[in-house]
Each structure stands twice: as C-alpha cells, then as structure tokens.
Amino acid sequence: MAWLDAAQHKIVTDAVAAAEDHTSGEIVTVIADRSDGYSDVVLVWAVALAFTAMSLFALLPQPFMELWDSLTGGWRHAWTTGELASMTIALGVIAFALSWLALSWDPLRFLCIPGPLKTARVHAQAVKHFKVGAESRTTGKTGILIYLSMREHRAEIVADEPIARLVPAEVWGEAMADMLVEIRKGAIAEGMAAGVRDVGKVLSEHFPRGEDDHNELPDRLIEV
C-alpha cells in the first residue's frame, strides 16, 4: 500500500536535494509497508496454540466431552480410546486453522511478533536495500540509506564504510529520534525530511561538497 501521496513524496525528495547541496554524501530514502511477512512466526503461534488445545483436552477431558454430548442432543455415551484420540486430533486441527486465520489479520499478526524479532528483520531488510541501492555506488563510497518500516514501527540508517568509520552510531540515533517525533504524530513525510536534514548536516561536516561534485544517486523517495 502507498503511505504517501505525490505532494508528500516531494517533501522528502526536496529535503534530500537540499541536504546534498552541502555534502558529497548521497542520501537514499526508502519507506516500506513491512520488512517481512512473518509466516514462520504465524506457523509457530498456530502450532503452539494447537498443542495447547490438545494438552488442555488431555488434562481436562470432561468439560470437552460434556460439551460434545450437549451438542449432540444430550445423550451420554462411553467414550472409546479411538474417539478420545480423534477428538484430541480434531481440537488440534481446529485450533491450528483458527489461529492461522486470525493471524492473517495484520494488526493481530504484528501484535504477536516479538519486538526484538521485528528489529532484526527490519535491520536485515534495510541492509538488503542498502546493498542494492547505495553501497559503494558513489565515487567516494559516501552513500547512506534512511529506511522506515511502517508496520513494524522501526527505522534504520545504514551507511557506507567510510561514513560509518567517522560517524558514531549514537549520532544517527539522534537523527532517528528527530525523525520519529514527527512520524508518531502521523507526519510521515515531515519526519523523513527531518531525518534527512539531520543526516545531511552530519555529512556536510565530514564530507563537504566539492566543486566538481555531481549527483550520483536519485533524490526521490522510494516506497516499496
């Protein structure tokens, strides 16, 4: 899905162009709807809930059997071993299917994903985008990526090695903090633009723009 319209894209693109007027660094901006589908997490949850349902039946079978008897007209009968085994399997299958269906709803799915896993997947995807779109693609290896993953509510800044060697990670943390202040208000484009300005200011101190410098990477915001 598209998070920004054309006017909002222009806000970010203009911020990149303005920042690069003062630095040889090249800033790439990416907004992603999500960094992963987390189907493996959904599978783990569904299996866990299925085994939980089966374990509850094995531990406390009587309420389940009474419920089944009431649903079949209230006639009680002696449950055989085969029927008990079949009921256990059926409960597991039903729990698995319902869990998978419920977790296909994005708000619930992302609520059930552990925070550290979200952070790891967002970082991995940011690095992937950086390698494809910015790493070592400039003359002085001065590319830097600002990556925002909307569903995970996470942001990453990934830089070429010459930048990473000179600029401590804490500095980028400050840039991300400024960016997230606006994004939490719902001003996504303005937040990205704030992050771009902060990054541009840092880059201008370490990598000032030379007279023969030219734009090597697109300024436009990439939305995936």
Side-chain angles (χ1 to χ4, degrees):
M1 64 174 291
W3 288 90
L4 302 179
D5 58 25
Q8 292 168 320
H9 271 256
K10 188 175 186 302
I11 290 173
V12 181
T13 300
D14 289 349
V16 172
E20 291 180 355
D21 278 343
H22 306 285
T23 177
S24 61
E26 293 287 335
I27 303 170
V28 177
T29 53
V30 177
I31 291 181
D33 178 60
R34 67 194 68 201
S35 292
D36 194 72
Y38 301 98
S39 57
D40 56 334
V41 180
V42 172
L43 179 61
V44 169
W45 271 108
V47 169
L49 291 171
F51 273 103
T52 298
M54 295 166 71
S55 299
L56 284 173
F57 179 69
L59 183 64
L60 299 168
Q62 197 61 37
F64 289 93
M65 291 188 291
E66 290 176 355
L67 175 62
W68 180 259
D69 286 337
S70 67
L71 292 174
T72 55
W75 293 94
R76 294 178 178 273
H77 70 280
W79 286 71
T80 66
T81 303
E83 287 174 332
L84 289 172
S86 297
M87 178 62 78
T88 303
I89 294 170
L91 283 172
V93 171
I94 291 169
F96 181 91
L98 291 177
S99 301
W100 188 277
L101 183 62
L103 290 169
S104 65
W105 184 49
D106 278 343
L108 181 59
R109 174 182 297 202
F110 281 89
L111 185 65
C112 293
I113 299 167
L117 182 60
K118 288 180 184 177
T119 300
R121 298 283 170 93
V122 169
H123 177 73
Q125 196 67 8
V127 170
K128 179 180 177 181
H129 280 287
F130 175 70
K131 288 181 178 295
V132 171
E135 185 178 33
S136 300
R137 293 189 60 187
T138 61
T139 303
K141 295 184 178 180
T142 55
I144 187 166
L145 172 78
I146 302 175
Y147 177 82
L148 180 64
S149 193
M150 297 303 298
R151 297 284 183 179
E152 290 89 349
H153 299 167
R154 300 287 194 280
E156 289 276 341
I157 295 178
V158 187
D160 262 321
E161 195 276 333
I163 298 175
R165 189 172 61 245
L166 290 175
V167 182
E170 308 83 66
V171 173
W172 303 134
E174 294 172 9
M176 282 201 290
D178 290 342
M179 179 170 65
L180 294 176
V181 165
E182 297 297 328
I183 292 172
R184 289 191 183 104
K185 299 176 185 176
I188 300 171
E190 290 77 4
M192 288 289 284
V196 167
R197 286 191 292 271
D198 285 355
V199 168
K201 182 178 179 181
V202 173
L203 290 177
S204 67
E205 295 172 1
H206 297 280
F207 302 92
R209 185 182 178 102
E211 293 183 2
D212 59 346
D213 185 81
H214 61 279
N215 199 18
E216 297 178 87
L217 296 176
D219 294 339
R220 68 179 180 84
L221 170 67
I222 300 168
E223 194 166 357
V224 294

